[in-house]
């Protein structure tokens, strides 16, 4: 078509004008590390699995989650969810209920029968795992996924370790525990129960194992010297909780005193209430602020009628009663005796003063060092001084809880795999953290946290039913969608929409976006309006 | 504020939302959007008008199945989009003079009506928009626009309001806010910047014509803007849409703050966002998180003389009073319970 001069212009002819030349800075898409992921002792990609859950694809969420942790249903019940204490959403309204969504996914997996895929290829290596507690099971799972032949030796009659013999039923249903362990066995992991390894070197020779992961739990109760008459009934927390699982229920009487201030002391007191004790009294030598037990556990115990005698030590035990000395805290916060005494009626006294580990099987192993009753490991690889021997869980340094144990085992498995294959992994690259300050929180809908139901207090003292209820699908979906997706694109299309120059290319679902540098003028609106802070502005090289 | 039934993480605040059903998603979130104003235009970095024009015209294109003609007044939008020999437009687009965009729109609509009649149809399937900046709308083109309203011509007129003549070097217009510095309202004397006055509130003037549809919107609330364009295109007769578009050059703001400023202005109450039909207000977008006017004024160099030591807290207070008046007048805080208002 012949057009009159300077009157008619071709549509879109301005594409010839490459306005990208104006730019002094360019937007770059980044993935930052959300604070929850950084905090998780098991190294879960929480933001990553919540992304799938937000869309209602629970199986994808569960598969993503179980890359790092094979026990979401257990986690939903016993994990102390430190992730939630650093959640950026807490600065808006309240933290995302990560733990409750995790529990929902775990339950959903059990309900639907989702299973782990066996490894695509066998590595040819044989590995031995000592102990079927959380750490040993996590290692077995990870090592099996990597294609190794795994045998787990367990001294006890059943798997679970402290998850079975330490954590009471009202916090973790045994059906859930059994089902999540069975899924690991179904991958082709061999379990041998009632088999206590007394000599590790011999066990490794017998099993023709190329490497070993040690995960012996802390099952020996610490004692304290308390002058006692023969008729005084004194038990320890480990054996009380263990006997709840095996054979006879412990005979504690109607008035039970528990000595100690940790989570185990609380578990015993709550168990005693459920066994029919009218009085369950925790005797602790410091005050509530200094108690090592988690505050929510203490709160739940108090709701159930458990009582606490603060600032008290037990000086002697007699039939039916204890003598207690009042304490006071000195300037350094240490308890000091006051010389004031009182008596406390108690049919039995349970000592919950901490636990030790039986390390006798390691006597024949060279190059090991011990500190404070634990075996020393390289913190980057979890390998002990003996090549090919790794350790995790209660027997390695660090906080003692289920999630920590699972994370240590994951790390150990990764490095054991590298060690077996003769590969040097090197340090993991650290990603920058997705701070709250980088978020544009305007874009998120207002949505307060969903609270999980709790069992009625009456039933809590009369049964061992789980106290903590679960989310329904509706509430789990709601809770997942409260995630801000800190530092990771969730395809909200803001960058694509807000560009005045149409210089952001949308690649389609799951593929994200790309900057069209031919036309991007570097105004920075996309960076400013990204809700989750997943775009950086980077100076152009001149 | 709870949303127990429908909860989509970001709701409709973001441009797109993968959790929404496709039919509820915005025009701009679609790969298939028209990009009526495409890449390669010469607007400044972070231009609110370029963004607002693409938002509005793309929505109109979708509403009319791509059968749309645009008349454009002289101004930034015309200059940056069509420097000879290039055009960034992807629809039939016509520029005549600074002051006659509304009249050109009326003429196109009349011609389409005649063509339809000759073809034996009741009305043309092709629709018309006319658009311009605040200068071409509130000052120079005001007569033609008022005539278009008065005759109820079948045109949607869209004003992209950046509160001044930016293309020619930032002179004041009748849409420039009080105290703002421009090349013709310097920050000197006892009343620095643009004088306080009655201003020229074009949405209210349009409503006084009792035309079928009048609405205001900002580039910060895409979903609202798209809904208003769609609503406007579902009606016939004269319609008017007034879009608030920040101008980094003329306002002395950071290019990355364009949408932020448009968001803040609504949250102060300085720019009420509403819809009206036949002279009656039918809907008001309420303030979500109310803020004082300082938060909006401070990031803009055109208001710099109000801050600092000693600054002009008295003038800020007058601007705040204007915002408060809007909040009262338009009910921008939503229905108040007696407890809250006491």
């Amino acid at each position: 078509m012949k057009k009159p001069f300077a009157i008619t212009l071709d549509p879109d002819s301005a594409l010839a004008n490459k306005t990208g030349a104006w730019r002094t800075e360019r937007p770059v898409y980044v993935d930052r590390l959300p604070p929850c992921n950084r905090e998780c002792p098991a190294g879960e990609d929480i933001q990553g699995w919540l992304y799938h859950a937000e869309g209602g694809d629970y199986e994808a969420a569960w598969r993503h989650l179980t890359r790092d942790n094979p026990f979401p249903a257990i986690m939903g019940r016993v994990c102390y969810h430190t992730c939630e204490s650093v959640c950026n959403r807490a600065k808006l309204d309240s933290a995302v209920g990560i733990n409750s969504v995790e529990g929902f996914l775990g339950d959903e997996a059990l309900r639907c029968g989702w299973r782990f895929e066996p490894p695509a290829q066998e590595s040819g290596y044989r590995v031995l795992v000592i102990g079927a507690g959380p750490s040993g099971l996590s290692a077995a799972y990870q090592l099996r996924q990597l294609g190794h032949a795994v045998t787990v030796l367990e001294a006890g009659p059943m798997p679970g370790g402290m998850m079975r013999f330490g954590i009471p039923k009202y916090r973790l249903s045994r059906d859930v525990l059994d089902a999540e362990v069975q899924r690991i066995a179904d991958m082709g992991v061999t379990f041998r129960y009632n088999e206590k390894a007394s000599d590790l070197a011999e066990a490794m020779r017998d099993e023709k194992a190329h490497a070993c992961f040690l995960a012996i739990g802390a099952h020996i109760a610490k004692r304290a010297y308390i002058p006692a008459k023969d008729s005084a009934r004194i038990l320890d927390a480990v054996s009380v909780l263990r006997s709840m699982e095996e054979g006879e229920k412990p005979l504690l009487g109607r008035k039970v005193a528990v000595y100690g201030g940790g989570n185990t002391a609380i578990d015993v007191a709550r168990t005693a209430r459920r066994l029919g004790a009218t009085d369950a009294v925790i005797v602790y030598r410091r005050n509530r602020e200094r108690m090592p037990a988690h505050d929510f556990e203490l709160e739940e115990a108090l709701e159930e009628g458990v009582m606490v005698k603060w600032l008290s030590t037990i000086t002697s035990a007699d039939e039916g009663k204890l003598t207690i000395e009042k304490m006071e805290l000195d300037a350094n916060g240490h308890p000091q005796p006051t010389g004031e005494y009182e008596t406390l009626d108690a049919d039995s006294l349970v000592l919950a003063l901490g636990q030790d580990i039986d390390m006798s099987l390691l006597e024949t192993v060279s190059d090991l060092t011990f500190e404070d009753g634990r075996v020393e490991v390289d913190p980057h690889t979890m390998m002990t001084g003996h090549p090919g021997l790794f350790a995790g869980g209660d027997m390695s340094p660090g906080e003692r809880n289920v999630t920590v144990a699972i994370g240590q085992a994951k790390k150990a498995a990764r490095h054991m795999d590298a060690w077996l294959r003769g590969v040097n992994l090197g340090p993991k690259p650290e990603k920058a953290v997705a701070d709250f300050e980088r978020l544009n929180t305007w874009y998120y809908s207002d949505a307060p946290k969903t609270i999980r139901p709790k069992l009625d207090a009456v039933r809590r003292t009369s049964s061992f039913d789980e106290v903590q209820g679960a989310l329904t699908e509706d509430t789990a979906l709601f809770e997942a969608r409260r995630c801000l997706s800190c530092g990771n694109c969730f395809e909200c299309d803001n960058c694509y929409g807000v560009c005045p120059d149409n210089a952001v290319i949308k690649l389609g679902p799951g593929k994200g976006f790309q900057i069209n540098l031919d036309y991007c003028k570097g105004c920075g609106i996309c960076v400013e309006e990204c809700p989750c802070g997943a775009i950086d502005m980077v100076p152009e090289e001149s | 504020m709870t949303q127990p039934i429908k909860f989509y993480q970001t709701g409709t605040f973001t441009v797109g939302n993968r959790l929404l059903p496709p039919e509820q998603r915005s025009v701009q979130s679609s790969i298939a959007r028209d990009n009526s104003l495409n890449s390669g235009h010469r607007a400044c970095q972070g231009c609110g008008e370029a963004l607002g024009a693409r938002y509005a015209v793309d929505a109109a294109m979708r509403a009319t199945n791509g059968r749309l003609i645009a008349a454009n007044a002289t101004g930034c939008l015309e200059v940056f989009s069509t420097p000879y020999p290039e055009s960034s437009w992807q629809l039939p687009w016509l520029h005549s003079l600074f002051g006659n965009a509304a009249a050109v729109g009326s003429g196109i609509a009349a011609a389409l009506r005649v063509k339809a009649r000759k073809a034996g149809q009741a009305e043309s399937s092709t629709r018309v928009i006319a658009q311009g900046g605040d200068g071409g709308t509130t000052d120079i083109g005001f007569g033609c626009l008022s005539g278009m309203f008065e005759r109820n011509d079948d045109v949607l007129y869209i004003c992209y309001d950046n509160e001044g003549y930016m293309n020619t070097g930032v002179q004041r217009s009748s849409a420039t806010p009080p105290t703002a510095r421009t090349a013709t309202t310097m920050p000197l004397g006892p009343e620095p910047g643009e004088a306080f006055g009655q201003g020229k509130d074009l949405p209210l003037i349009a409503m006084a014509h009792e035309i079928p549809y009048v609405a205001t919107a900002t580039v910060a609330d895409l979903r609202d803007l798209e809904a208003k364009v769609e609503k406007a295109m579902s009606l016939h007769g004269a319609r008017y849409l007034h879009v608030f578009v920040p101008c980094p050059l003329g306002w002395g703001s950071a290019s990355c703050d364009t949408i932020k400023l448009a968001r803040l202005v609504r949250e102060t109450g300085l720019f009420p966002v509403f819809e009206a039909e036949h002279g009656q207000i039918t809907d008001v977008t309420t303030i979500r998180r109310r803020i004082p006017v300082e938060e909006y004024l401070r990031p803009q160099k055109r208001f710099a003389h109000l801050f600092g030591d000693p600054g002009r807290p008295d003038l800020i207070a007058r601007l705040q009073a204007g915002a408060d008046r809007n909040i009262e007048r338009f009910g921008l805080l939503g229905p108040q319970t007696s407890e809250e208002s006491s």
Side-chain angles (χ1 to χ4, degrees):
Chain A
M1 183 173 106
K2 188 158 164 52
K3 294 183 281 281
F5 173 74
I7 296 293
T8 303
L9 305 173
D10 283 327
D12 231 1
S13 44
L15 285 177
N17 184 28
K18 300 283 169 65
T19 53
W22 305 9
R23 196 175 55 240
T24 57
E25 292 179 292
R26 67 166 68 180
V28 175
Y29 291 97
V30 293
D31 286 334
R32 289 193 160 226
L33 183 65
C36 51
N37 294 18
R38 187 176 62 160
E39 193 68 19
C40 178
E44 288 184 21
D45 181 15
I46 295 167
Q47 176 275 328
W49 57 256
L50 280 173
Y51 177 84
H52 295 295
E54 284 152 24
D57 190 347
Y58 303 124
E59 182 167 354
W62 180 80
R63 297 217 175 268
H64 194 104
L65 190 166
T66 52
R67 293 193 317 204
D68 298 301
N69 188 335
F71 299 128
I74 295 173
M75 287 296 105
R77 291 165 170 83
V78 307
C79 180
Y80 291 124
H81 48 78
T82 45
C83 51
E84 293 184 25
S85 64
V86 295
C87 173
N88 279 333
R89 179 131 205 163
K91 298 191 179 78
L92 271 188
D93 40 34
S94 54
V96 175
I98 296 165
N99 183 248
S100 56
V101 179
E102 181 167 19
F104 168 79
L105 291 174
D107 291 353
E108 191 71 4
L110 296 177
R111 195 177 66 80
C112 300
W114 298 330
R115 297 159 60 91
F116 297 132
E117 299 297 328
Q121 207 180 343
E122 298 291 336
S123 70
Y125 292 106
R126 299 180 58 82
V127 295
L128 185 62
V129 174
I130 306 289
S135 204
L137 290 167
S138 165
Y141 164 76
Q142 297 287 355
L143 290 165
R144 183 69 197 127
Q145 292 243 304
L146 293 163
H148 307 306
V150 184
T151 301
V152 182
L153 297 188
E154 165 60 45
M158 284 176 281
M162 279 299 178
M163 297 191 292
R164 184 184 302 275
F165 297 111
I167 297 173
K169 278 182 190 156
Y170 59 83
R171 282 185 57 208
L172 173 59
S173 144
R174 299 304 183 241
D175 293 344
V176 168
L177 173 61
D178 291 339
E180 289 208 321
V181 173
Q182 185 58 43
R183 219 163 28 206
I184 294 174
D186 291 345
M187 294 168 71
V189 173
T190 307
F191 285 92
R192 298 225 302 271
Y193 300 113
N194 298 312
E195 203 159 314
K196 185 170 186 219
S198 52
D199 180 333
L200 183 66
E202 192 184 294
M204 285 196 59
R205 272 197 305 277
D206 290 352
E207 297 295 329
K208 299 187 180 65
H210 299 95
C212 175
F213 180 72
L214 285 170
I216 307 166
H219 290 278
I220 304 173
K222 283 186 185 167
R223 307 288 296 202
Y225 175 70
I226 296 172
K229 299 257 170 64
D230 289 347
S231 49
R233 182 164 170 73
I234 302 180
L235 303 96
D236 70 76
V238 177
S239 52
V240 167
L241 293 174
R242 174 172 281 264
S243 61
M244 291 300 297
E245 297 300 315
E246 300 179 310
E248 298 276 303
K249 297 271 181 289
L251 296 171
L252 297 174
R254 296 182 62 76
K255 296 185 175 183
V256 181
V258 183
Y259 198 19
N263 291 321
T264 308
I266 290 180
D267 286 342
V268 171
R270 295 176 71 183
T271 297
R273 283 286 286 153
R274 285 169 171 76
L275 288 173
T278 51
D279 293 5
V281 184
I282 293 171
V283 180
Y284 178 53
R285 60 200 180 110
R286 295 179 232 247
N287 58 14
R288 182 163 179 171
E289 288 69 45
R290 294 180 177 273
M291 194 180 208
H294 287 92
D295 206 54
F296 81 91
E297 294 206 48
L298 175 65
E299 204 50 57
E300 289 185 359
L302 295 173
E303 285 166 19
E304 292 166 12
V306 169
M307 291 172 285
V308 188
K309 284 199 91 65
W310 302 108
L311 291 164
S312 304
T313 54
I314 298 173
T315 52
S316 67
D318 205 341
E319 182 174 2
K321 64 171 181 282
L322 305 169
T323 305
I324 283 173
E325 181 173 8
K326 299 299 291 175
M327 306 296 277
E328 61 186 13
L329 296 184
D330 64 17
N332 299 321
H334 296 302
Q336 300 297 342
T338 60
E340 281 177 52
Y341 295 89
E342 59 181 310
T343 56
L344 176 71
D345 290 342
D347 300 324
S348 61
L349 169 63
V350 183
L351 303 179
L353 301 168
Q355 288 122 264
D356 285 327
I357 298 159
D358 176 6
M359 300 266 199
S360 58
L361 87 162
L362 298 179
E363 278 162 15
T364 55
V365 181
S366 58
D367 306 322
L368 294 183
T369 49
F370 297 88
E371 166 118 28
D372 203 15
R374 307 194 192 196
V375 64
E376 290 197 319
V377 294
D378 177 341
H380 298 295
T381 63
M382 304 305 288
M383 189 157 85
T384 65
H386 186 92
L389 183 59
F390 296 73
D394 287 354
M395 70 184 300
S396 69
E399 205 187 329
R400 281 179 176 174
N401 70 47
V402 174
T403 320
V404 168
I406 288 167
Q408 288 172 337
K410 182 184 86 168
K411 191 200 270 184
R414 200 169 143 259
H415 286 279
M416 186 191 286
D417 179 68
W419 182 83
L420 285 168
R421 298 177 199 266
V423 184
N424 189 359
L425 282 182
K428 255 190 179 176
E430 274 284 298
K431 277 201 273 184
V433 174
D435 302 319
F436 182 78
E437 289 64 37
R438 285 177 58 92
L439 305 178
N440 189 336
T441 58
W442 168 264
Y443 288 105
Y444 298 101
S445 305
D446 309 289
K449 185 173 180 170
T450 318
I451 307 296
R452 276 181 283 189
K454 268 193 194 172
L455 197 63
D456 290 344
V458 179
R459 282 184 56 207
R460 278 162 58 179
T461 49
S462 60
S463 78
F464 281 86
D465 292 351
E466 284 190 350
V467 170
Q468 176 95 51
L471 296 182
T472 63
E473 194 202 320
D474 278 0
T475 50
L477 187 64
F478 183 93
E479 201 51 38
R481 288 177 174 184
R482 294 183 65 244
C483 175
L484 306 178
S485 193
C486 307
N488 290 270
C489 176
F490 60 104
E491 299 187 16
C492 73
D493 295 332
N494 254 18
C495 52
Y496 178 62
V498 300
C499 178
D501 294 287
N502 186 30
V504 177
I505 302 163
K506 180 172 172 170
L507 301 172
K511 302 198 188 92
F513 306 87
Q514 194 182 318
I515 304 295
N516 185 344
L517 294 171
D518 280 351
Y519 298 106
C520 168
K521 293 170 184 164
C523 71
I525 295 182
C526 55
V527 178
E528 186 70 24
E529 301 304 322
C530 176
C532 65
I535 314 177
D536 278 349
M537 208 63 185
V538 177
E540 289 288 343
E541 285 170 23
S542 53
Chain B
M1 284 196 285
T2 56
Q3 291 160 297
I5 301 158
K6 286 185 185 173
F7 182 64
Y8 297 111
Q9 188 173 36
T10 55
T12 52
F13 293 118
T14 45
V15 167
N17 189 333
R18 68 190 175 99
L19 305 173
L20 283 172
E23 67 276 10
Q24 287 180 24
R25 296 184 192 172
S26 68
V27 176
Q28 287 302 313
S29 70
S30 166
I31 290 180
R33 74 187 186 201
D34 285 282
N35 290 314
S36 307
L37 177 62
N38 205 1
S39 312
H41 64 69
R42 297 176 190 220
C44 304
Q45 291 159 319
C47 176
E49 187 171 32
L51 185 58
R54 194 186 76 226
Y55 281 179
V57 180
D58 276 3
M61 286 286 276
R62 183 167 84 168
T64 57
N65 291 319
R67 298 192 66 83
L68 189 70
I69 298 174
N72 212 123
T74 306
C76 275
L77 181 60
E78 172 263 323
V79 169
F80 75 62
S81 65
T82 53
Y84 181 79
E86 294 165 0
S87 168
S88 306
W89 295 100
Q90 302 206 70
L91 83 166
W93 179 93
L94 199 153
H95 167 241
S96 172
L97 299 172
F98 210 149
N100 67 354
V104 172
S106 295
I108 298 168
L112 288 169
R113 196 172 62 241
V114 170
K115 281 185 75 176
R117 237 178 244 165
K118 284 189 171 169
Q121 293 153 351
E123 59 188 27
S124 172
S125 60
T126 302
R127 307 293 303 276
V128 182
I129 59 170
Q131 55 185 357
D134 51 292
T137 305
T138 68
D139 296 341
I140 302 177
F142 183 64
C144 291
L145 181 62
S146 181
M148 183 198 108
F149 290 161
E150 187 256 326
R151 294 184 303 271
N152 199 26
D153 291 327
D154 189 15
V155 177
L156 167 63
Y157 191 98
I158 306 171
C159 171
Y160 305 103
D161 179 6
N162 59 17
E163 304 188 328
Y165 291 85
M166 302 317 188
N167 167 51
T168 47
V170 195
Q171 293 85 12
R172 77 167 286 282
S173 78
S174 56
T176 300
T179 76
R181 173 195 179 132
T182 66
T184 46
T185 57
M186 296 306 278
L188 302 167
E191 289 213 348
E194 169 72 3
F196 280 88
Q198 297 305 312
K200 206 184 213 182
D201 192 327
L202 220 112
L204 292 181
I205 296 171
M207 278 171 63
H209 290 74
E210 304 211 347
I211 56 176
Y213 188 71
V214 174
T216 64
T218 78
V219 282
D221 194 347
L222 168 72
R223 303 296 299 250
D224 177 69
L225 194 160
E226 287 188 351
K228 284 168 176 167
V229 171
E230 201 181 325
K231 174 82 181 284
M233 296 316 290
S234 74
L235 302 170
H236 284 271
R239 291 142 288 143
Y240 180 73
L241 178 63
H242 192 99
V243 186
F244 185 87
V245 290
C247 171
L249 176 77
W251 297 7
S253 57
S255 63
C256 62
D257 280 347
T258 295
I259 289 181
K260 183 171 110 182
L261 288 173
R263 186 159 61 230
L264 294 180
V265 78
R266 195 193 81 190
E267 298 298 273
T268 60
L270 285 169
F271 185 82
V273 177
F274 62 90
E275 272 184 302
E277 290 177 49
H278 302 289
Q280 292 288 321
I281 289 184
T282 53
D283 195 31
V284 172
T285 304
T286 52
I287 289 171
R288 186 174 174 215
R289 295 172 189 161
R290 189 179 180 182
I291 52 166
V293 293
E294 284 97 323
E295 276 191 48
Y296 164 70
L297 302 173
R298 200 184 287 272
Q300 306 178 46
K301 289 205 187 83
R302 63 176 174 158
F303 297 114
H305 53 279
L306 303 181
F307 298 96
D309 192 19
R312 290 300 301 270
D314 56 322
L315 297 182
I316 295 173
R318 285 182 74 179
L319 290 168
Q320 182 66 54
D324 294 346
R325 181 166 177 261
N326 278 341
I327 288 170
E328 177 83 10
R329 186 178 185 188
F330 292 92
L332 297 180
L333 294 178
Q336 300 284 291
T337 64
S338 55
E339 204 178 335
E340 279 172 337
S341 54
S342 64

